[in-house]
Amino acid sequence: MDLEAEIRALQLDSAEENNGVVISEDHHSDGVEKLDKAEEDLKDNVQDSAPVPVEQQATEDHDQEMLLPVHNPAKAKEKAAQEKAAKEEAEEEAEANKKRHLNVVFIGHVDAGKSTIGGQILFLSGQVDDRQIQKYEKEAKDKSRESWYMAYIMDTNEEERAKGKTVEVGRAHFETESTRFTILDAPGHKSYVPNMISGASQADIGVLVISARKGEFETGYERGGQTREHVQLAKTLGVSKLVVVVNKMDDPTVNWSKERYDEIEQKMVPFLKSSGYNTKKDVIFLPISGLMGVNMDKRMDRNVCPWYSGPSFFEVLDSIEVPPRDPNGPFRMPIIDKFKDMGTVVMGKVESGSIKEGDSLIIMPNKEHVKVVAIYCDEDKVKRAGPGENLRVRITGIEDEDILSGFVLSSTVKPVPAVTEFVAQLQILELLDNAIFTAGYKAILHIHAVVEECEIIELISQIDMKTRKPMKKKVLFVKNGAAVVCRIQVTNSICVEKFSDFPQLGRFTLRTEGKTVAVGKVTALSGASSSA
């Protein structure tokens, strides 16, 4: 009880002081000390003390209110709701004003300079600082490969740096005034074409890098060179716009020669036309030097190259128009990768529809219902995301070992169909050793992120290349260059759509023994199971 008596005495003291009674200095300081101690004890013990004078009660109430602002629950709730609504509105506004987003894939023959250009872009747009560059320069010099230092920005693992070849698809982000870009740096080496396919299947626009150096353009362009195969694959995988950059124009064998640039353009145009590109509308040529960064972010000086007065590389990328996607359509996100990070996280590009936190979705073809916990776009956490965005989505309801790349995260209403066979229209490019293409032919099917073994089980009809209509006579086999409608079977269920409904999920390539044999599109699905 000593404590309570002490507190009462102190309260009376303070009350007297408040009423104008002067208390000696000694007594006062002593009192203050005691008051502090008592207040602490009081807070610890949370005891109700004797009646307190009104003035002090008021100040204490005020202090209490300052400490615990939730004084009136109804008011606080209302305030919180208003704040939440304002925050959501601001988020939606920011989302609406967000720059458009494009995926750019860099394709072309091995050693054309794709990673160096990617590295230079990141350096010029301020994503990499000078110190980092100096470190890479030293590292490249130690390997006696001075000109590789820019590529080290994109090629991050040791194997890639030691060989000077990209293996994985490198990813990086940069922004211009009106657009956010994701760079997909595809490998050029023919052994890694499957990786290049997975990169190109996520791209909106392609940058075909061609080396102007004497002999290098020729090896890339001739039969068996990757320039040809990459262009055909890019077209099949839905890369509708192509920027052809003629790189290494500063090389001593070229020295910004207009003749060399024109020669490359004249050889490429007919080939691009034959691959299905409209060279007037969908293809832009421009000369650059990736290593020196000439004509990349700024137009180049007339002293460097007197004959070229066109736009710089960044200007070209900014001005490209791509067809709009439907943010309100059924949700489709082919999964390209998955990993564990506080739950299951899947990666992919939204091909259609929108996604927001808390959505209930379904993973096809194994029909697992999942809930969206968090969405990350680039490195930022976002509440919602629309079509064209590359996302990492954290989901619950499924373990990461139950997901394979090629599965599709889709809306529960109208989920993506899962099939084991489908009808397709194929264009045969080049069969191995002049083999014939007939029922029973086996190949590897690449469709969005799916890589699956398949078999042709029936040739339905051949297409007349002149009229583009099916021929009447029964077809048993076809050879190089033919177009044919056939039925294709795969062992496991895969998610595909008809090309006419969803082009991104309806185009595919057939490869065998490391060569692209045919490209095609899905025209009909048989035995689709899309019921959740």
Side-chain angles (χ1 to χ4, degrees):
M1 292 304 292
D2 287 354
L3 179 69
E4 281 194 15
E6 218 167 49
I7 292 166
R8 273 199 206 116
L10 285 167
Q11 282 166 347
L12 287 170
D13 281 358
S14 64
E16 276 173 19
E17 191 178 307
N18 287 340
N19 293 335
V21 178
V22 180
I23 298 158
S24 73
E25 194 60 41
D26 251 328
H27 185 81
H28 186 226
S29 60
D30 202 359
V32 170
E33 269 175 42
K34 279 184 180 168
L35 181 65
D36 286 349
K37 185 172 183 301
E39 263 186 356
E40 276 174 3
D41 286 348
L42 239 187
K43 273 181 193 163
D44 289 341
N45 300 342
V46 195
Q47 288 176 333
D48 289 343
S49 59
V52 181
V54 182
E55 255 180 57
Q56 192 172 337
Q57 185 68 45
T59 56
E60 277 182 15
D61 276 1
H62 177 68
D63 288 351
Q64 194 67 16
E65 208 167 50
M66 294 301 284
L67 282 169
L68 305 167
V70 187
H71 191 56
N72 183 337
K75 259 188 183 173
K77 242 182 202 170
E78 199 179 303
K79 197 175 177 197
Q82 282 172 349
E83 275 174 12
K84 195 179 176 192
K87 195 177 173 193
E88 275 179 13
E89 209 171 279
E91 270 176 13
E92 271 174 31
E93 204 171 286
E95 198 70 40
N97 299 336
K98 216 177 188 185
K99 298 177 182 179
R100 67 176 186 156
H101 176 260
L102 289 180
N103 282 341
V104 185
V105 67
F106 282 79
I107 56 174
H109 193 64
V110 62
D111 284 347
K114 298 181 289 299
S115 301
T116 297
I117 292 172
Q120 186 68 278
I121 288 174
L122 294 184
F123 177 58
L124 293 172
S125 58
Q127 308 287 325
V128 183
D129 58 13
D130 287 339
R131 280 184 58 191
Q132 201 72 19
I133 292 285
Q134 282 163 5
K135 184 180 146 207
Y136 291 147
E137 267 182 340
K138 184 180 179 307
E139 205 174 312
K141 207 168 186 165
D142 293 346
K143 291 192 170 92
S144 330
R145 294 278 187 268
E146 280 92 336
S147 67
W148 287 2
Y149 72 93
M150 273 292 176
Y152 282 8
I153 299 171
M154 293 300 292
D155 292 345
T156 47
N157 74 28
E158 273 312 308
E159 180 195 0
E160 292 180 325
R161 289 183 176 181
K163 291 184 183 168
K165 290 188 185 80
T166 305
V167 178
E168 299 285 324
V169 175
R171 277 171 175 274
H173 314 282
F174 77 100
E175 291 189 16
T176 58
E177 264 149 48
S178 67
T179 316
R180 292 176 303 124
F181 290 99
T182 298
I183 301 173
L184 302 164
D185 176 29
H189 197 277
K190 62 174 179 286
S191 317
Y192 307 122
V193 168
N195 295 2
M196 175 263 161
I197 291 175
S198 85
S201 67
Q202 302 160 48
D204 301 298
I205 49 182
V207 175
L208 174 63
V209 183
I210 289 175
S211 166
R213 187 181 282 162
K214 208 166 174 52
E216 280 190 9
F217 164 65
E218 286 73 10
T219 34
Y221 178 68
E222 273 144 25
R223 276 191 179 284
Q226 257 37 65
T227 305
R228 279 170 172 271
E229 186 175 12
H230 278 196
V231 169
Q232 287 165 336
L233 284 171
K235 183 63 187 168
T236 315
L237 294 162
V239 177
S240 54
K241 307 274 182 184
L242 207 56
V243 180
V244 183
V245 296
V246 182
N247 189 21
K248 307 193 185 181
M249 288 296 288
D250 58 326
D251 191 80
T253 62
V254 186
N255 211 356
W256 297 97
S257 142
K258 185 171 181 358
E259 290 73 36
R260 179 66 169 161
Y261 178 77
D262 289 347
E263 176 197 346
I264 290 171
E265 190 170 340
Q266 280 155 12
K267 278 191 180 167
M268 284 308 294
V269 166
F271 170 65
L272 291 169
K273 273 186 181 157
S274 71
S275 299
Y277 281 100
N278 177 338
T279 48
K280 293 208 166 37
K281 275 196 205 149
D282 300 336
V283 180
I284 301 164
F285 281 84
L286 76 157
I288 65 161
S289 160
L291 186 64
M292 309 315 290
V294 180
N295 202 28
M296 299 267 291
D297 59 335
K298 296 193 277 288
R299 294 191 176 204
M300 62 180 144
D301 206 318
R302 275 301 178 85
N303 306 338
V304 178
C305 178
W307 49 268
Y308 181 80
S309 57
S312 69
F313 184 41
F314 279 22
E315 284 175 62
V316 168
L317 288 178
D318 245 351
S319 64
I320 285 181
E321 288 299 322
V322 291
R325 287 190 192 80
D326 182 9
N328 303 319
F331 183 72
R332 299 281 184 271
M333 185 180 104
I335 295 168
I336 55 165
D337 203 359
K338 59 21 169 5
F339 55 89
K340 247 187 160 72
D341 175 19
M342 290 159 49
T344 305
V345 179
V346 292
M347 285 170 67
K349 174 187 166 195
V350 181
E351 295 293 2
S352 152
S354 301
I355 183 173
K356 58 182 189 294
E357 266 183 27
D359 276 359
S360 291
L361 300 172
I362 186 170
I363 288 189
M364 295 294 283
N366 56 358
K367 299 183 184 160
E368 294 274 4
H369 288 269
V370 297
K371 197 170 164 94
V372 176
V373 184
I375 305 165
Y376 297 90
C377 175
D378 298 346
E379 296 305 314
D380 312 321
K381 191 170 189 231
V382 291
K383 284 269 189 293
R384 67 195 66 210
E389 295 286 3
N390 296 323
L391 303 180
R392 295 197 314 271
V393 181
R394 183 173 292 131
I395 52 179
T396 57
I398 191 169
E399 287 301 314
D400 65 330
E401 49 264 25
D402 298 331
I403 301 172
L404 298 173
S405 58
F407 282 13
V408 176
L409 193 59
S410 104
S411 46
T412 44
V413 183
K414 279 206 190 159
V416 59
V419 299
T420 51
E421 63 176 65
F422 56 90
V423 177
Q425 185 179 322
L426 270 185
Q427 171 73 48
I428 312 256
L429 300 175
E430 197 177 344
L431 296 166
L432 286 183
D433 308 328
N434 288 332
I436 56 168
F437 189 85
T438 172
Y441 190 91
K442 286 187 166 71
I444 304 289
L445 167 80
H446 290 262
I447 181 161
H448 59 87
V450 173
V451 181
E452 195 69 57
E453 205 167 287
C454 72
E455 184 180 340
I456 310 299
I457 48 175
E458 181 194 355
L459 297 189
I460 298 168
S461 61
Q462 188 169 351
I463 291 169
D464 188 334
M465 298 300 275
K466 289 192 180 73
T467 61
R468 289 267 161 213
K469 292 205 167 64
M471 295 181 190
K472 292 271 192 312
K473 66 175 201 265
K474 185 87 181 95
V475 59
L476 292 173
F477 66 88
V478 289
K479 287 193 168 180
N480 277 353
V484 61
V485 176
C486 59
R487 189 181 296 281
I488 297 176
Q489 188 177 54
V490 288
T491 39
N492 302 315
S493 264
I494 59 168
C495 298
V496 298
E497 295 268 13
K498 281 181 6 195
F499 181 80
S500 50
D501 299 341
F502 278 96
Q504 297 88 347
L505 303 181
R507 327 182 161 83
F508 63 91
T509 52
L510 292 183
R511 303 186 81 241
T512 176
E513 292 179 33
K515 273 216 166 46
T516 302
V517 182
V519 296
K521 54 188 183 188
V522 178
T523 53
L525 306 173
S526 38
S529 72
S530 59
S531 57

